[in-house]
Amino acid sequence: GAGVSQSPRYKVAKRGQDVALRCDPISGHVSLFWYQQALGQGPEFLTYFQNEAQLDKSGLPSDRFFAERPEGSVSTLKIQRTQQEDSAVYLCASSPIRAGGSLETQYFGPGTRLLVL
Amino acid sequence: AQTVTQSQPEMSVQEAETVTLSCTYDTSENNYYLFWYKQPPSRQMILVIRQEAYKQQNATENRFSVNFQKAAKSFSLKISDSQLGDTAMYFCAFMKTSYDKVIFGPGTSLSVIP
């Protein structure tokens, strides 16, 4: 079956532009996560959705970052007034939730590489 | 707060040889999950192996195995019979509960030399 997909794969933005990054999770996956990966570093958590509810947004670096998942499937990460320090790969991951609390692996998408000039 | 440390930024290994990547972590939790993820140059993050902290037996997946030392908070990855396709960044990662964010280490860049 299809994995997690993200679009666009690459985005170049001028400083001050707004950008929108899309994530299509695996069908039926309840949980959706966004991570930011700076060059040469490990991914860092941004925000978490369970269905359409945003349960944790503690990792969003500023109020310029906004994420939504209105129908509990596709999610969009929006960055307003982009800055050079926003340049990074933005990864989306999804996982199912099963009864009994069994461990569920997060499946990652290929990422969107954002370059802010 | 949980932290994950990988003290080897870069490593190399000859093809067909064995290599061990180190990872330590810090947490006050008793039950948690640990992972090794692989990220090839194409950047798709792939799960290599996972370990549930309450399980004493070390996880094994084909050529990949871990040495999980809970008291020492150590979680190393051993790759046997290294192959050229193993060349990638390897991230050690921690997850507090099954539906929580993953906390990644800084990564180890592994190069398999023909």
Side-chain angles (χ1 to χ4, degrees), chain B residues 84-104:
Chain B
L84 296 179
D86 295 334
T87 293
M89 283 290 290
Y90 286 82
F91 293 98
C92 178
F94 171 100
M95 191 167 72
K96 193 167 55 174
T97 66
S98 195
Y99 317 126
D100 202 359
K101 58 183 174 283
V102 177
I103 298 169
F104 289 87

Side-chain angles (χ1 to χ4, degrees), chain B residues 27-39:
Chain B
T27 184
S28 58
E29 302 289 326
N30 188 45
N31 292 319
Y32 47 86
Y33 307 97
L34 295 165
F35 307 88
W36 279 98
Y37 278 92
K38 170 185 176 181
Q39 192 175 44

Side-chain angles (χ1 to χ4, degrees), chain A residues 9 33 35 37 40-43 45 48 56 89 91 96-98 101-106 108-110 113, chain B residues 33 35 37 39 41-45 47 50-52 89 91 95 97-107:
Chain A
R9 291 295 309 278
F33 299 81
Y35 296 86
Q37 186 176 20
Q41 297 182 22
F45 168 78
Y48 163 52
D56 187 351
V89 175
L91 297 170
I97 287 183
R98 300 192 198 281
S102 62
L103 171 61
E104 292 303 333
T105 299
Q106 292 183 20
F108 284 80
R113 186 186 296 254
Chain B
Y33 307 97
F35 307 88
Y37 278 92
Q39 192 175 44
S42 67
R43 304 199 75 88
Q44 184 93 38
M45 192 79 73
L47 178 68
R50 67 188 199 187
Q51 175 84 39
E52 293 161 71
M89 283 290 290
F91 293 98
M95 191 167 72
T97 66
S98 195
Y99 317 126
D100 202 359
K101 58 183 174 283
V102 177
I103 298 169
F104 289 87

Side-chain angles (χ1 to χ4, degrees), chain B residues 6 8-14 17-21 36 38-41 63-64 77-80 82-91 107-113:
Chain B
Q6 295 176 251
Q8 306 152 315
E10 296 181 357
M11 292 194 71
S12 61
V13 62
Q14 290 289 137
E17 296 295 306
T18 295
V19 64
T20 298
L21 308 184
W36 279 98
K38 170 185 176 181
Q39 192 175 44
R63 298 183 294 106
F64 299 87
L77 174 70
K78 185 171 81 171
I79 307 174
S80 304
S82 297
Q83 301 175 359
L84 296 179
D86 295 334
T87 293
M89 283 290 290
Y90 286 82
F91 293 98
T108 296
S109 176
L110 177 67
S111 297
V112 179
I113 302 166

Side-chain angles (χ1 to χ4, degrees), chain A residues 54-117:
Chain A
Q54 190 174 20
L55 299 186
D56 187 351
K57 54 181 181 179
S58 62
L60 295 177
S62 78
D63 58 8
R64 296 186 295 104
F65 287 71
F66 172 76
E68 60 183 4
R69 195 186 183 196
E71 297 178 357
S73 55
V74 172
S75 178
T76 303
L77 176 67
K78 297 179 179 178
I79 309 173
Q80 297 177 325
R81 303 180 304 281
T82 53
Q83 302 295 317
Q84 287 185 321
E85 61 262 28
D86 300 336
S87 295
V89 175
Y90 291 84
L91 297 170
C92 176
S94 71
S95 69
I97 287 183
R98 300 192 198 281
S102 62
L103 171 61
E104 292 303 333
T105 299
Q106 292 183 20
Y107 296 88
F108 284 80
T112 294
R113 186 186 296 254
L114 173 65
L115 177 62
V116 181
L117 302 177

